[in-house]
């Protein structure tokens, strides 16, 4: 990245900042950004091409800015996937769940407002806060990365935040968030006054379910609580389990009041006609798009078991409990950057993220995971000898 000229009037709080993003490198095995490694089936590609071809003659016109057909598809999918029956007015789409989160910060954050998360957590949250001039605070998780609900509630009561952000499963640890914990946080927020707001204004609780489809079967989703909690917002994405990262489609499920707040800050015609057409085609082939989820779940569990048999300088590797498509592992790496570099030299890209001493790997194809295991064994041996 080239240096930014000192003569440009960059905001003072952005001076010295770097753009967010995991490395995008041309290596044989990329296991660093939690994608679904399996491409769409030919039938899905054909359906996408047909849908886009059908709307191509209308591209001289703006798209449906309310994307009603796509919101209906979100509703149908959530009823099937989680048993939640939601109306179109309770759903909203955007260019990835990143835009959903930014819209939430734009609507509910801002100067004088505070958002609270539970670390370790998704590293983009403080950047959304920074970009919207929102205060950002953290309540530390337990040593096993589960949510310390008592500590979080105490911080909420002390701060009076406008938003509380929790990920389920958590990123970067993969830790599941029990429904009972979510309900305790919701109950607490329903009694808390947002600092600086009018009387009776309560915090919005945002549950980020980017990886929820990888949870163990039978585990409920927070979308089933929306009817009981008007200040609950649940963010979803098609990027991960749905094998649609390149299309950039995220969506929000919430009470219509929250959706209407987000509509105030959305950019005009923010979701292109091409994006809407591609997403509708993908939903027409939901079974094919999700066909590999169970296998990736099995791969995660098998990889976790294997990692626990490995050692680093005589210490067994730790693996955080995960219901996602990635694993945080190590807990004992005193030179994790060196391990990352050694893996990269062997053509395997993983992620340096989360607490010191840990690394993260997302699940790839069977062949990619075999190469990961080989490269990790070699890399640990090399770093141990340095």
């Amino acid at each position: 990245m080239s240096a930014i000229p000192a003569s440009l009037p960059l905001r003072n709080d952005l001076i010295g900042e770097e753009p967010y993003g995991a490395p995008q490198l041309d290596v044989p095995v990329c296991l660093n950004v939690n994608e679904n490694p399996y491409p769409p089936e030919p039938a899905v590609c054909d359906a996408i091409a047909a849908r886009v071809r059908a709307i191509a003659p209308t591209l001289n016109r703006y798209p449906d800015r309310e994307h009603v057909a796509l919101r209906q598809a979100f509703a149908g999918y959530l009823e099937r996937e989680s048993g939640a029956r939601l109306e179109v007015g309770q759903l909203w789409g955007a260019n990835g769940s990143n835009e959903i989160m930014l819209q939430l910060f734009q609507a509910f954050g801002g100067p004088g407002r505070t958002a609270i998360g539970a670390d370790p957590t998704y590293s983009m949250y403080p950047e959304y806060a920074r970009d919207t001039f929102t205060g950002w605070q953290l309540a530390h998780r337990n040593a096993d990365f589960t949510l310390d609900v008592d500590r979080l509630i105490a911080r909420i009561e002390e701060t009076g935040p406008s938003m509380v952000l929790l990920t389920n499963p958590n990123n970067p640890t993969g830790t599941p968030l029990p429904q009972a914990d979510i309900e305790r946080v919701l109950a607490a927020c329903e009694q808390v006054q947002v600092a600086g707001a009018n009387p009776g204004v309560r915090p919005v609780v945002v549950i980020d379910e980017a990886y929820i489809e990888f949870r163990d079967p039978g585990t409920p989703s927070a979308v089933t609580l929306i009817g009981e909690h008007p200040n609950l917002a649940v963010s979803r994405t098609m990027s991960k389990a749905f094998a649609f990262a390149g299309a950039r489609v995220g969506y929000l499920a919430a009470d219509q009041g929250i959706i209407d707040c987000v509509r105030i800050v959305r950019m005009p015609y923010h979701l292109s006609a091409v994006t809407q057409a591609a997403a509708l085609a993908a939903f027409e082939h939901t079974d094919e798009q999700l066909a590999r989820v169970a296998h990736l779940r099995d791969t995660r569990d098998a990889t976790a078991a294997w990692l626990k048999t490995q050692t680093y300088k005589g210490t067994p590797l730790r693996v955080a409990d995960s219901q996602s498509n990635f694993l945080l592992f190590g807990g004992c790496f005193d030179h994790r950057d060196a391990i990352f570099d050694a893996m990269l030299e062997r053509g395997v890209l993983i992620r340096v993220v989360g607490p010191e001493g840990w690394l993260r790997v997302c699940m790839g194809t069977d062949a990619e995971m075999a190469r990961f295991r080989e490269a990790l064994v070699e890399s640990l041996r090399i770093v141990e000898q340095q």
Side-chain angles (χ1 to χ4, degrees):
M1 175 179 156
S2 59
I4 297 174
S7 60
L8 291 177
L10 183 66
R11 276 170 31 191
N12 289 342
D13 61 309
L14 297 181
I15 294 174
E17 295 283 343
E18 294 287 339
Y20 171 86
Q24 286 188 309
L25 304 175
D26 185 14
V27 297
V29 180
C30 291
L31 303 174
N32 68 325
V33 288
N34 305 338
E35 299 158 322
N36 188 324
Y38 297 101
E41 295 291 335
V44 182
C45 296
D46 291 343
I48 292 170
R51 278 266 188 180
V52 172
R53 178 66 184 85
I55 59 95
T58 70
L59 290 178
N60 60 312
R61 304 295 185 186
Y62 286 112
D64 174 11
R65 64 175 169 238
E66 299 299 323
H67 52 282
V68 173
L70 183 53
R71 290 159 78 184
Q72 290 171 335
F74 294 148
Y77 173 69
L78 288 178
E79 181 173 2
R80 167 184 170 172
E81 193 270 339
S82 297
R85 295 186 176 182
L86 301 176
E87 302 296 328
V88 167
Q90 295 174 292
L91 292 152
W92 184 250
N95 293 283
S97 58
N98 299 104
E99 187 177 30
I100 290 291
M101 287 293 173
L102 183 59
Q103 289 175 341
L104 288 167
F105 271 85
Q106 289 173 318
F108 302 117
R113 296 286 179 88
T114 300
I116 290 178
D119 67 323
T121 191
Y122 184 35
S123 56
M124 271 299 297
Y125 294 156
E127 297 201 17
Y128 302 138
R130 177 201 68 192
D131 293 347
T132 56
F133 302 98
T134 306
W136 176 248
Q137 293 191 21
L138 291 166
H140 300 309
R141 290 173 173 268
N142 296 314
D144 63 355
F145 305 130
T146 56
L147 185 66
D148 188 332
V149 182
D150 291 336
R151 177 181 290 178
L152 175 63
I153 290 175
R155 180 60 60 86
I156 291 168
E157 293 172 343
E158 294 166 2
T159 305
S162 59
M163 286 193 297
V164 178
L165 287 89
L166 300 171
T167 53
N168 183 32
N170 188 43
N171 182 9
T173 65
T175 315
L177 179 61
Q179 198 91 321
D181 289 354
I182 296 173
E183 293 184 280
R184 282 190 61 194
V185 174
L186 285 164
C189 287
E190 287 162 2
Q191 303 301 315
V192 169
Q193 169 72 34
V194 173
N198 292 329
V201 175
R202 309 302 183 199
V204 170
V205 178
V206 182
I207 306 297
D208 185 346
E209 291 191 341
Y211 301 93
I212 196 68
E213 283 95 345
F214 294 104
R215 69 195 186 278
D216 290 342
T219 305
S221 160
V223 296
T224 60
L225 301 175
I226 288 171
E228 305 166 31
H229 300 280
N231 279 33
L232 170 63
V234 183
S235 174
R236 289 278 193 115
T237 183
M238 297 178 73
S239 294
K240 308 302 182 179
F242 225 85
F244 220 51
R248 310 305 302 127
V249 181
Y251 54 107
L252 178 67
D255 184 82
Q256 185 165 348
I258 290 178
I259 301 300
D260 286 343
C261 290
V262 168
R263 289 174 63 240
I264 292 172
V265 300
R266 64 105 168 92
M267 296 296 288
Y269 312 107
H270 71 293
L271 207 55
S272 79
V274 172
T275 298
Q276 293 181 47
L280 287 168
F283 275 124
E284 289 172 352
H285 293 268
T286 294
D287 288 340
E288 293 96 319
Q289 290 297 89
L290 297 176
R292 303 285 191 163
V293 168
H295 180 66
L296 289 168
R297 192 184 296 124
D298 292 342
T299 301
R300 174 198 69 204
D301 293 342
T303 303
W306 177 82
L307 283 166
K308 291 175 182 178
T309 69
Q310 305 304 301
T311 61
Y312 176 72
K313 296 186 176 179
T315 301
L317 301 189
R318 294 164 57 195
V319 183
D321 289 340
S322 175
Q323 290 203 8
S324 186
N325 68 330
F326 57 79
L327 294 168
L328 191 74
F329 68 97
C332 57
F333 296 142
D334 50 1
H335 299 292
R336 65 174 179 174
D337 288 315
I339 297 170
F340 171 87
D341 291 339
M343 294 284 288
L344 188 57
E345 289 174 3
R346 284 152 184 79
V348 179
L349 179 62
I350 57 174
R351 188 80 182 269
V352 177
V353 70
E356 287 294 329
W358 297 80
L359 291 166
R360 193 186 72 190
V361 60
C362 71
M363 299 303 101
T365 65
D366 293 346
E368 288 172 336
M369 297 312 295
R371 184 64 197 125
F372 162 76
R373 293 189 295 272
E374 295 169 358
L376 182 63
V377 170
E378 295 170 4
S379 299
L380 293 180
R381 184 179 67 250
I382 288 169
V383 175
E384 285 176 329
Q385 295 172 350
Q386 290 177 348

